[in-house]
Amino acid sequence: MTFAFGVLRGGGVCARVDDTVVDLSGLDPLFKGPSLNGLMAAGPDAWRQARERAGEGRDAAVAELGMPVEPADYVDFYSSLHHATNVGRMFRPDAEPLLPNWRHLPVGYHGRAGTVVPSGTPVRRPSGQRPGPAFGPSERLDIELEAGFVIGTPSTQGEPVPIERALDHVFGMLLVNDWSARDIQAWEYQPLGPFLAKSFATSISHWVVPLDELADRRVPAEPQDPEPLEYLREEPWAYDIPLEVELNGTVIARSNTRHLYWSIAQQIAHLTVNGASLRTGDLLATGTISGPEREERGCLLELSWNGEEPVQLDDGSTRTFLEDGDEVALRGEPLGEVRGRIEPATGG
Ligand code: MN
């Protein structure tokens, strides 16, 4: 059986039990809110009780779903070895593909929580500065196939979360599409990292799968080389969740969360090691998840190798980057899917 929590459009906690949507909003004041944040803040005992009470809910025959969580902070990591290596090969062909820090810490950046949107929300093509400089609608709009974790129980500022306690803070997992404007990114990212190239929209799936439900997806991972510093050290593991990217009805990539080098526990230990605290609703995304094979690349930048090798779609057309009207769906059971359609730039 697969189980996940969500929120009905207009408010109220619901659950997905296999293919049935159950309305839990009448059972407890904790389930009435506009998002899952109330339940998430109540802690692991409340999460398990909510799970057990799902059978008491009402069948929601036609369920329109809303935004599952109210994101507090949004952090996006860069935890796929193959993605980081491919990007390094494309942009620094004469150097080592991985920067010297990559195997020592989970690289990440703070994103924009206020523009995280639920699956199905149209995404307007951003305008901005690109190399030249020139200004106009992005000509290199991309997807990023990612998973994300949402924080339930907060931590105390000034107190790092030890790696062996990190998962206690995690409410659940979902799918993330971290839309990215590669031309804007290329011009703005040095020296402080992504800014407007990624802040215009980030889409998340409607369903959040509790970590308990993913216990049988945990698999051992390859040893990390070199061994990380003490605060990041644990038995290597990953989740085995197959993923796919569909563009206008054609599956253009298949990947798997087991290709991630850094675990969510390591990401949390690193994020808090300076004393930064976790807040209920924090969204921690993995970064683009690419595998070793060509068809396992999790973004168009890699799939088209920086625009040089167009991707073939079933309708006979090709893509290097996204066109207006393109419809993207990222999928991965038991997480569900996250969809979005590209709308023309304002005035475009
Ligand atoms: Mn990303």
Side-chain angles (χ1 to χ4, degrees), residues 147 173 238-243 255-260 286 289 335:
M173 189 177 186
Y239 286 114
D240 180 9
I241 299 174
L243 303 170
S255 188
N256 192 304
T257 52
R258 67 188 299 169
H259 296 311
L260 291 164
T286 57
I289 305 169
L335 303 178

Side-chain angles (χ1 to χ4, degrees), residues 74 76-78 83 109 144 146 178 180 198 285-288:
Y74 166 41
D76 195 22
F77 287 93
Y78 193 51
H83 174 66
Y109 69 95
E144 288 195 335
E146 305 195 14
D178 182 32
S180 299
K198 289 165 179 281
T286 57
T288 307

Side-chain angles (χ1 to χ4, degrees), residues 194-232:
F195 187 29
L196 304 185
K198 289 165 179 281
S199 63
F200 56 95
T202 305
S203 300
I204 60 172
S205 54
H206 283 127
W207 297 109
V208 184
V209 178
L211 277 207
D212 285 353
E213 300 294 318
L214 297 167
D216 62 353
R217 300 284 182 147
R218 269 187 77 135
V219 292
E222 296 286 305
Q224 290 172 311
D225 182 23
E227 191 176 34
L229 295 180
E230 177 75 33
Y231 77 96
L232 292 171

Side-chain angles (χ1 to χ4, degrees), residues 33-72:
S35 74
L36 291 169
N37 286 44
L39 174 62
M40 283 157 51
D45 289 343
W47 310 341
R48 273 178 223 116
Q49 280 165 26
R51 164 88 174 82
E52 283 160 17
R53 293 190 67 188
E56 301 168 39
R58 290 186 299 115
D59 269 20
V62 186
E64 294 274 343
L65 297 168
M67 182 70 168
V69 300
E70 188 185 336

Side-chain angles (χ1 to χ4, degrees), residues 95-117:
E96 273 295 305
L98 287 181
L99 290 167
N101 59 2
W102 198 89
R103 284 177 180 272
H104 296 281
L105 54 81
V107 169
Y109 69 95
H110 283 281
R112 191 162 185 82
T115 47
V116 177
V117 296

Side-chain angles (χ1 to χ4, degrees), residues 125 141-143 179 247 300 321-324 326 328 342:
R125 180 181 300 275
L141 185 57
D142 201 354
I143 54 164
W179 306 95
L247 172 56
L300 283 166
F321 293 94
L322 296 172
E323 295 183 4
D324 292 345
D326 279 355
V328 177
I342 304 302

Side-chain angles (χ1 to χ4, degrees), residues 156-339:
T156 307
Q157 192 163 359
E159 295 180 15
V161 175
I163 191 161
E164 62 275 11
R165 299 247 63 91
L167 295 187
D168 299 350
H169 295 270
V170 180
F171 175 74
M173 189 177 186
L174 39 61
L175 286 172
V176 178
N177 187 346
D178 182 32
W179 306 95
S180 299
R182 302 299 184 191
D183 41 2
I184 297 173
Q185 185 178 354
W187 179 232
E188 74 175 5
Y189 85 104
Q190 288 175 313
L192 291 184
F195 187 29
L196 304 185
K198 289 165 179 281
S199 63
F200 56 95
T202 305
S203 300
I204 60 172
S205 54
H206 283 127
W207 297 109
V208 184
V209 178
L211 277 207
D212 285 353
E213 300 294 318
L214 297 167
D216 62 353
R217 300 284 182 147
R218 269 187 77 135
V219 292
E222 296 286 305
Q224 290 172 311
D225 182 23
E227 191 176 34
L229 295 180
E230 177 75 33
Y231 77 96
L232 292 171
R233 217 170 282 165
E234 63 174 350
E235 206 56 51
W237 65 281
Y239 286 114
D240 180 9
I241 299 174
L243 303 170
E244 67 177 33
V245 180
E246 188 187 275
L247 172 56
N248 297 344
T250 303
V251 174
I252 58 169
R254 295 179 203 278
S255 188
N256 192 304
T257 52
R258 67 188 299 169
H259 296 311
L260 291 164
Y261 187 87
W262 297 105
S263 75
I264 177 59
Q266 290 176 315
Q267 289 170 346
I268 288 172
H270 186 63
L271 172 61
T272 61
V273 76
N274 65 347
S277 52
L278 300 170
R279 280 202 292 171
T280 299
D282 281 354
L283 171 63
L284 312 182
T286 57
T288 307
I289 305 169
S290 297
E293 304 301 326
R294 191 191 168 83
E295 61 276 11
E296 293 177 308
R297 299 170 181 169
C299 63
L300 283 166
L301 175 71
E302 289 171 86
L303 286 163
S304 74
W305 207 254
N306 199 20
E308 291 169 14
E309 301 168 15
V311 174
Q312 191 75 43
L313 303 186
D314 291 344
D315 65 5
S317 67
T318 59
R319 289 292 183 284
T320 49
F321 293 94
L322 296 172
E323 295 183 4
D324 292 345
D326 279 355
E327 174 100 29
V328 177
L330 312 183
R331 288 197 198 90
E333 283 310 315
L335 303 178
E337 69 169 14
V338 56
R339 307 183 71 89

Side-chain angles (χ1 to χ4, degrees), residues 82 84-98 305:
H82 299 288
T85 303
N86 284 335
V87 172
R89 281 201 187 113
M90 275 183 267
F91 294 114
R92 298 183 305 277
D94 302 323
E96 273 295 305
L98 287 181
W305 207 254

